[in-house]
């Protein structure tokens, strides 16, 4: 695992936005945390499978302890997801529910959406094909 970079932005209200990028095997993880609206957007690209989920889980869980109200998984750039990737999403869903928050998925790829539908996750998690943060108050 190699850390590519980290940028922290501050605006005039002293609200922090964090950006981190990691490369783990064939997975690139971009994480944006917007603390002003208690939202966390996890942008993933590459493959979300048994080789990459543990790093992703540990990274996301660091943010979930900081009172995230809305968690978004952006899967628009995912090439492949297996059952362990679905398990990762379901685990974060359970955790954020316990914290009083919500989870949604951003996905516009038919093959990934089909896997999500077959898993049943689409019955408990909102799926966006086109996501505009400002429409969600982020």
């Amino acid at each position: 695992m190699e850390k590519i970079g980290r940028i922290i932005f501050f605006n005039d209200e002293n609200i922090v936005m964090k950006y981190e990028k990691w490369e783990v095997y064939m997975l690139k993880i971009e994480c944006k945390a917007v603390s002003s609206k208690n939202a966390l957007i996890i942008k993933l690209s590459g493959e979300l499978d048994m080789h990459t989920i543990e790093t992703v889980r540990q990274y996301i869980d660091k943010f979930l302890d900081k009172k995230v109200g809305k968690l978004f998984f952006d899967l628009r750039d995912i090439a492949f997801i297996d059952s362990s990737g679905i398990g990762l999403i379901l685990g974060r869903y359970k955790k954020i529910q316990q914290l009083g928050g919500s989870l949604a998925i951003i996905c516009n790829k038919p093959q990934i959406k089909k896997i999500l539908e077959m898993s049943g996750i689409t019955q408990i998690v909102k799926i966006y094909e086109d996501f505009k943060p400002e429409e969600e108050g982020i």
Side-chain angles (χ1 to χ4, degrees):
M1 173 174 54
E2 177 184 347
K3 186 172 182 179
I4 306 283
R6 180 175 187 201
I7 303 170
I8 301 177
F9 302 92
F10 294 89
N11 68 11
D12 58 317
E13 297 175 12
N14 203 22
I15 298 169
V16 180
M17 177 190 277
K18 295 180 182 177
Y19 170 83
E20 292 201 20
K21 187 173 180 181
W22 297 73
E23 284 194 17
V24 183
Y25 298 97
M26 294 300 294
L27 178 73
K28 292 179 183 174
I29 306 161
E30 295 180 41
C31 183
K32 297 176 184 176
V34 183
S35 62
S36 67
K37 302 292 182 180
N38 293 328
L40 176 63
I41 302 172
I42 306 294
K43 180 174 176 51
L44 302 169
S45 63
E47 298 182 0
L48 187 57
D49 59 17
M50 64 184 266
H51 300 292
T52 57
I53 61 158
E54 190 56 37
T55 302
V56 177
R57 178 182 294 116
Q58 291 173 4
Y59 185 72
I60 294 170
D61 285 352
K62 287 191 291 187
F63 285 99
L64 289 184
D65 294 336
K66 298 181 182 185
K67 299 183 182 178
V68 172
K70 295 180 182 179
L71 175 61
F72 296 90
F73 278 93
D74 187 343
L75 305 182
R76 290 179 284 193
D77 293 328
I78 286 289
F80 175 79
I81 186 170
D82 67 6
S83 60
S84 48
I86 297 295
L88 168 80
I89 294 170
L90 285 173
R92 298 322 90 209
Y93 170 79
K94 288 178 184 177
K95 187 165 187 168
I96 195 120
Q97 287 283 318
Q98 291 171 349
L99 297 170
S102 64
L103 184 143
I105 297 172
I106 308 160
C107 180
N108 59 2
K109 289 189 175 178
Q111 67 273 25
I112 302 297
K113 282 177 63 177
K114 185 173 183 174
I115 293 169
L116 295 172
E117 289 168 2
M118 288 174 32
S119 74
I121 201 168
T122 57
Q123 295 183 15
I124 59 171
V125 173
K126 185 171 182 174
I127 307 290
Y128 295 90
E129 283 193 27
D130 185 30
F131 180 73
K132 296 178 180 148
E134 60 278 0
E135 289 178 7
E136 287 297 314
I138 299 173

